[in-house]
Amino acid sequence: VIRPLVHASVRVDFDGAVVYVDPWSRADLDGAPPADVILITDADAGAHHLDTAAIQKLRKPSTVVVVPASGKAKVPDGLVMAN
């Protein structure tokens, strides 16, 4: 199931996993299920793609956060995608 949140932000529920793409704090994230994976598509376009507050709200200890290389400074433990 693909659930639009706001702007470019979506939540994908698949086979028991919860994946967020570009979660943004302007979406209503209260009560949102914690993420298994968070994918950040752009770290240079402003906070609506790489929103550290939204990441912290949705993250659990085992969450994998995938970021472009330019996002590594804001998410030091993020997994950098090779693109």
Side-chain angles (χ1 to χ4, degrees):
V1 176
I2 299 172
R3 302 173 192 274
L5 300 174
V6 65
H7 186 60
S9 301
V10 297
R11 183 178 104 205
V12 179
D13 299 312
F14 179 74
D15 200 25
V18 178
V19 178
Y20 289 91
V21 179
D22 294 336
W24 192 17
S25 295
R26 288 201 182 173
D28 181 8
L29 301 175
D30 292 332
D36 294 296
V37 176
I38 297 174
L39 173 63
I40 304 301
T41 63
D42 189 354
D44 301 317
H48 61 282
H49 289 275
L50 198 168
D51 180 347
T52 56
I55 291 169
Q56 288 308 110
K57 187 165 196 166
L58 296 170
R59 198 169 196 185
K60 59 186 178 183
S62 61
T63 300
V64 175
V65 181
V66 181
V67 297
S70 58
K72 189 72 170 169
K74 290 184 180 179
V75 186
D77 62 342
L79 175 65
V80 174
M81 65 176 122
N83 63 347

